[in-house]
Amino acid sequence: MKLVIDCFKLVKGAGKSIGIYNLACHLVQELAKGNHRTENEIIVFGNAYNRPDFGVKGIHFIEIKKNPLDKKACVLWELFQVSVLAKKLGVDKVLFPRGYTSLLHLTKEYVIIHDMIPFYYRKHFPKYFNPLENFYICWRLKASARKADKVITISEASKQDIMKYAQIEDKRITVIYNGYNPIVEGDYKQTDKRYLAAMTSELPHKNAAYILESYTAYHGAVENPLPLMIIGLKDLSKYQLSQNIEADITCISYLEKDEDLYRLIGGATVFLFLSLIEGFGFPPIEAMQLGTPVICSNTSSLPEVVGEGAVCVSVTDCNQVSKAIIDIVSHKIDVAALCRKGKANAERFNWEKTGKKYREVLFE
């Protein structure tokens, strides 16, 4: 079998697709292992930026001589040109990791749809994105799900959303959880400070305002509150917090090195992840691997992903979050047991298992 994985539009650090980039990168590298000993040929359509990650042994890497940062070039590629080139090369199947198939459908097409969050924005935050752009994305997701020969998604929650919005049958969708490479052992737990850590962003579904509201509730409920390190915000200017609350919060807009992120999360007393919706949600899994207790919202895919390895809380009752923080900090909850469950839960997601499932689906 001759399989193409279309990675042309993927550029590390560009746009909002770092999670998709990482999935595609690890998937290609996992499929490449031992592939030179099989009759299957794996071709990656890539670009000059991602060649170092995707042009690995066992892969036939084809660099597309277009600019992946040019929107017009990307639209033309995705809608028409990728399918034409695949047909010309005699490809049996094309896998699209970004959620969108081509319009021409000249070969069998499999698509990975990570989530249907654009539909969530259309309903709950209709003015946040350009309405025409959001309409186009929703249309492309729905059309791709309906047209693809197979839809792969990353959680049962995302599967239900795809069925709801694209109105396709259960049997056409396969759930394959994201894989995650184990964090190399390091000195990430060594710290002389006690603090809370949270991950968010300015995007509404990441729920930054609720994290800050919950921290305010916690801050007022105890005599000596732990400070909060919040990853993903530049500053607190738009949140109208009191001066004494602001004084205990440190904003970290971005951490370039994984080691710095692991050190911050690994050294925390509690890790907060309170998104309104996620297709999967890697940060709680990272915290679990690092042995940090996790408080996580009880919405969408997150309870499914964190299992019994986290304390799941409401996204409408900040006092519930405050209580969970207090219970962990004061050890009213068996923190050692929670962390053991967290580490065991994280082991469910490894690339050996994920790669095996992808091989079964792609080379069936």
Side-chain angles (χ1 to χ4, degrees):
M1 177 184 290
K2 190 180 286 189
L3 169 73
V4 156
I5 304 176
D6 178 30
C7 300
F8 164 66
K9 291 180 68 174
L10 298 178
V11 178
K12 193 171 187 177
K16 306 181 184 72
S17 60
I18 186 63
I20 296 175
Y21 185 97
N22 287 337
L23 170 62
C25 178
H26 291 305
L27 175 59
V28 166
Q29 292 174 5
E30 185 66 30
L31 293 177
K33 292 177 181 177
N35 191 60
H36 58 283
R37 296 193 298 270
T38 75
E39 69 268 13
N40 298 315
E41 181 182 0
I42 302 174
I43 302 169
V44 167
F45 291 160
N47 57 62
Y49 298 98
N50 65 28
R51 177 184 281 274
D53 286 333
F54 291 95
V56 295
K57 184 178 180 181
I59 296 295
H60 178 192
F61 185 89
I62 297 178
E63 183 179 322
I64 306 303
K65 303 298 182 180
K66 301 177 185 295
N67 182 3
L69 301 177
D70 182 312
K71 278 193 174 182
K72 184 177 178 181
C74 286
V75 169
L76 289 173
W77 169 260
E78 189 171 75
L79 293 178
F80 309 109
Q81 294 164 343
V82 59
S83 196
V84 170
L85 180 56
K87 181 69 174 178
K88 183 179 179 181
L89 294 173
V91 167
D92 299 292
K93 193 178 293 180
V94 180
L95 174 67
F96 296 93
R98 289 189 68 257
Y100 313 110
T101 62
S102 72
L103 285 186
L104 298 182
H105 202 76
L106 300 179
T107 64
K108 278 192 173 183
E109 294 185 345
Y110 284 21
V111 63
I112 304 174
I113 297 181
H114 300 254
D115 56 62
M116 300 297 266
I117 289 177
F119 288 89
Y120 184 86
Y121 270 77
R122 190 163 71 175
K123 180 178 179 180
H124 296 282
F125 305 104
K127 296 180 181 179
Y128 190 81
F129 290 117
N130 179 296
L132 286 177
E133 184 179 356
N134 188 257
F135 174 82
Y136 174 79
I137 292 171
C138 289
W139 168 68
R140 288 286 285 128
L141 282 170
K142 186 187 295 185
S144 296
R146 290 176 174 177
K147 195 173 183 181
D149 295 282
K150 173 71 73 174
V151 176
I152 299 168
T153 193
I154 58 178
S155 65
E156 291 290 342
S158 285
K159 177 179 178 178
Q160 294 303 314
D161 285 343
I162 294 167
M163 291 169 60
K164 174 183 176 181
Y165 291 113
Q167 298 180 326
I168 63 173
E169 296 175 305
D170 173 287
K171 64 183 180 182
R172 294 191 52 222
I173 308 172
T174 298
V175 174
I176 304 178
Y177 286 126
N178 281 332
Y180 193 79
N181 289 340
I183 295 173
V184 177
E185 291 293 332
D187 60 352
Y188 304 123
K189 296 299 289 184
Q190 293 182 18
T191 178
D192 56 359
K193 291 177 59 180
R194 281 165 57 82
Y195 60 91
L196 311 177
M199 185 171 287
T200 187
S201 81
E202 298 288 0
L203 289 170
H205 79 278
K206 293 295 187 179
N207 218 11
Y210 183 69
I211 292 173
L212 295 170
E213 184 181 355
S214 298
Y215 180 68
T216 300
Y218 159 74
H219 201 278
V222 295
E223 288 188 8
N224 296 301
L226 299 182
L228 173 65
M229 310 280 280
I230 189 163
I231 307 161
L233 297 183
K234 291 181 180 179
D235 58 59
L236 302 169
S237 57
K238 75 179 202 179
Y239 295 102
Q240 299 180 337
L241 300 171
S242 65
Q243 287 185 347
N244 68 316
I245 299 290
E246 280 200 28
D248 278 343
I249 301 175
T250 301
C251 291
I252 302 166
S253 60
Y254 178 68
L255 289 168
E256 184 174 351
K257 295 181 180 179
D258 288 343
E259 292 79 7
D260 292 335
L261 176 65
Y262 298 157
R263 195 168 289 110
L264 191 148
I265 295 176
T269 305
V270 182
F271 177 71
L272 302 173
F273 192 74
L274 302 178
S275 296
L276 295 169
I277 183 172
E278 293 284 344
F280 185 83
F282 270 126
I285 302 302
E286 292 174 319
M288 288 175 185
Q289 289 192 71
L290 292 163
T292 301
V294 174
I295 297 175
C296 183
S297 48
N298 62 0
T299 59
S300 67
S301 66
L302 291 169
E304 173 187 350
V305 170
V306 301
E308 295 183 351
V311 177
C312 289
V313 294
S314 168
V315 290
T316 59
D317 184 358
C318 62
N319 290 317
Q320 190 179 128
V321 182
S322 171
K323 182 179 183 305
I325 296 171
I326 293 169
D327 287 349
I328 291 176
V329 171
S330 65
H331 284 255
K332 287 184 180 179
I333 290 175
D334 188 338
V335 175
L338 181 64
C339 290
R340 283 195 300 271
K341 290 177 182 178
K343 286 194 172 184
N345 179 70
E347 290 173 4
R348 292 196 292 148
F349 311 106
N350 67 67
W351 268 109
E352 186 177 351
K353 294 177 183 176
T354 298
K356 181 180 178 182
K357 290 181 179 179
Y358 269 102
R359 287 188 190 93
E360 291 170 354
V361 171
L362 295 174
F363 299 120
E364 61 185 358

